[in-house]
Amino acid sequence: MTAFKTLDDLTNLAGKRVLLRVDLNVPVKDGKVTDTTRVERVAPTIMELSGKGARVILLAHFGRPKGKVVPSMSLESIAGVVENVLDHRVHFAADCIGEIAGKAVDAMVDGDILLLENTRFHEGEESNDPDFAAALARNGDIFVNDAFSAAHRAHASTEGLAHHLPAYAGRTMQAELTALEQGLGNPVRPVVAIVGGAKVSTKIDLLKNLVKRVDALVIGGGMANTFLAARGINVGKSLCEHDLASTAREIETEAKVAGCALVLPVDGVVAREFKAGADNETVDVDAIPADAMMLDVGPKSIEAINAWITKADTLVWNGPLGAFEIPPFDAATVSAAQHAARRTEEGLLVSVAGGGDTVSALNHAGVAEDFTYVSTAGGAFLEWMEGKPLPGIDVLKV
Ligand code: 3PG
Ligand code: MG
């Protein structure tokens, strides 16, 4: 595996100003943070640095203010949330560069934690302007990146800073990189990937990369319909991108060439309404009624998917198998998730999951804690599955 410098390479942190990039882009509804997972994930790095006497300066973005000050996207209110999770005082400065930031940093004592305002309030963040990165760097002696979920962005606080200061991976980044290496970088075979979700169109690159790297690719969710339709199966009113039939066929061919088994549903649970508890029936995929839509894969398919999980030494999962948010169409996702969790707990499987809905699906199945690693990253996890370079990570490599 490619080597990264980690906190283990840092001695004598007392008094050092550490610019720590974290991802505090937490979901907010009606002014309240609804999920603090991302804060909890970076807490160990923050506390380790603070405990070692460093002056911990948190850099983060929030939302997409596009280089302007947007008060609703201020990190000020998030400081309190971080404080609660850490159970440690968190100071806040209303700018991430210049006099305001400089004064706040100068006032720090060893072990202090300071959160700087949203880096994206400055245009130079997203354009990765070297002058802006230099202005950020002025407040630090060391750069630590613990924001895997923002590592697909080549921004000043994720990439640029590493050209100005010695750069290290934080504990979460380190765990994430280790898990991803186990998942796809250098996995124990056989490797099975499960890819679900609504659309093929958002996951073409990902599917094309995976068929070359895994032994079996299980396709579920709405996107399975696109593959079935491309095989000439009538999917009724199911969610389906008919215009992507040739892309689906191309992916099938690439899978065949690469020796990757493409596992499509053979049966499905169909309904006429998209709502929890809707009347439903289980049919083989070649018997989907014209006025019905497939909302979950059926029991025969679950059995086949679980058999692949049993055969696998490594599992990479992105996207639910069915409409898990409206029971009973969560059955396949829950069954496969629980089966993978059991195999993992028995020490028989390395299971890595991430991206968008996947974390909520695994939480819904009650097994997010039992996987080897569940990434809170959305876009970064997908780009990693697509085999794309992640600028925030490349720059940490030694
Ligand atoms: C995320 O929420 O996925 C990360 O924080 C990155 O945010 P972005 O998609 O706005 O760059
Ligand atoms: Mg995102």
Side-chain angles (χ1 to χ4, degrees):
M1 163 173 188
T2 325
F4 301 89
K5 279 191 272 178
T6 69
L7 301 195
D8 295 324
D9 298 298
L10 281 167
T11 46
N12 240 337
L13 277 163
K16 292 268 165 49
R17 299 168 306 159
V18 177
L19 287 171
L20 174 60
R21 179 56 158 100
V22 288
D23 189 352
L24 301 180
N25 204 22
V26 288
V28 175
K29 206 179 167 193
D30 303 327
K32 280 224 156 58
V33 173
T34 54
D35 181 359
T36 56
T37 310
R38 280 181 167 172
V39 185
E40 285 151 29
R41 288 288 177 95
V42 292
T45 303
I46 300 174
M47 293 316 286
E48 180 176 343
L49 290 168
S50 161
K52 288 178 172 169
R55 302 175 181 199
V56 189
I57 303 150
L58 304 177
L59 293 174
H61 74 279
F62 191 55
R64 292 176 177 167
K66 301 256 171 270
K68 300 212 165 53
V69 176
V70 179
S72 64
M73 294 181 195
S74 169
L75 278 170
E76 187 164 14
S77 59
I78 305 297
V81 176
V82 180
E83 202 158 63
N84 286 340
V85 169
L86 299 179
D87 197 18
H88 189 291
R89 175 84 201 270
V90 175
H91 303 270
F92 177 77
D95 200 352
C96 62
I97 55 166
E99 206 179 321
I100 293 177
K103 276 201 178 134
V105 171
D106 289 344
M108 293 175 88
V109 299
D110 295 0
D112 268 2
I113 301 166
L114 167 71
L115 172 62
L116 301 181
E117 183 58 287
N118 196 340
T119 50
R120 289 189 185 170
F121 281 2
H122 292 271
E123 199 273 317
E125 164 71 339
E126 295 199 46
S127 64
N128 201 2
D129 173 6
D131 293 336
F132 177 69
L136 289 173
R138 235 162 265 146
N139 289 317
D141 304 304
I142 294 162
F143 171 51
V144 177
N145 190 350
D146 215 19
F148 173 83
S149 44
H152 55 320
R153 310 290 182 210
H155 293 172
S157 69
T158 59
E159 201 274 348
L161 259 181
H163 301 292
H164 295 268
L165 294 174
Y168 299 81
R171 293 300 182 201
T172 301
M173 179 70 97
Q174 186 183 349
E176 189 106 29
L177 295 177
T178 308
L180 298 189
E181 183 69 11
Q182 276 184 301
L184 272 190
N186 194 12
V188 183
R189 290 185 180 274
V191 191
V192 172
I194 297 179
V195 179
K199 290 181 171 175
V200 172
S201 52
T202 56
K203 294 193 180 168
I204 296 172
D205 291 346
L206 182 151
L207 295 169
K208 289 196 165 184
N209 184 45
L210 286 180
V211 294
K212 284 184 266 161
R213 300 176 68 166
V214 304
D215 301 289
L217 173 60
V218 175
I219 296 184
M223 59 197 290
N225 300 316
T226 302
F227 280 86
L228 293 172
R231 284 183 178 179
I233 289 171
N234 193 336
V235 297
K237 287 222 157 58
S238 303
L239 186 72
C240 180
E241 293 167 290
H242 290 283
D243 53 326
L244 284 179
S246 65
T247 304
R249 279 193 290 268
E250 220 172 277
I251 292 167
E252 278 226 42
T253 307
E254 285 174 28
K256 220 167 263 157
V257 170
C260 165
L262 199 71
V263 185
L264 290 179
V266 290
D267 59 349
V269 185
V270 301
R272 271 124 191 125
E273 280 176 294
F274 187 90
K275 68 165 208 221
D279 276 343
N280 63 82
E281 59 192 297
T282 299
V283 296
D284 284 349
V285 290
D286 55 10
I288 299 174
D291 63 341
M293 56 191 155
M294 175 148 79
L295 294 181
D296 198 9
V297 306
K300 285 190 242 176
S301 310
I302 299 177
E303 208 176 301
I305 293 167
N306 283 347
W308 270 109
I309 294 174
T310 303
K311 221 183 278 179
D313 279 351
T314 305
L315 174 71
V316 181
W317 188 336
N318 169 260
L321 292 171
F324 77 95
E325 59 285 59
I326 49 164
F329 309 105
D330 57 344
T333 303
V334 168
S335 168
Q338 291 181 344
H339 184 56
R342 252 188 323 269
R343 300 286 296 175
T344 306
E345 281 180 315
E346 287 165 7
L348 300 168
L349 181 71
V350 170
S351 51
V352 179
D357 282 355
T358 317
V359 183
S360 5
L362 296 184
N363 277 329
H364 174 76
V367 298
E369 304 294 315
D370 306 322
F371 270 52
T372 309
Y373 196 83
V374 178
S375 174
T376 61
F381 190 85
L382 292 181
E383 291 195 25
W384 166 75
M385 280 185 101
E386 289 166 359
K388 296 201 174 128
L390 301 179
I393 287 169
D394 286 347
V395 87
L396 296 178
K397 289 179 183 161
V398 292

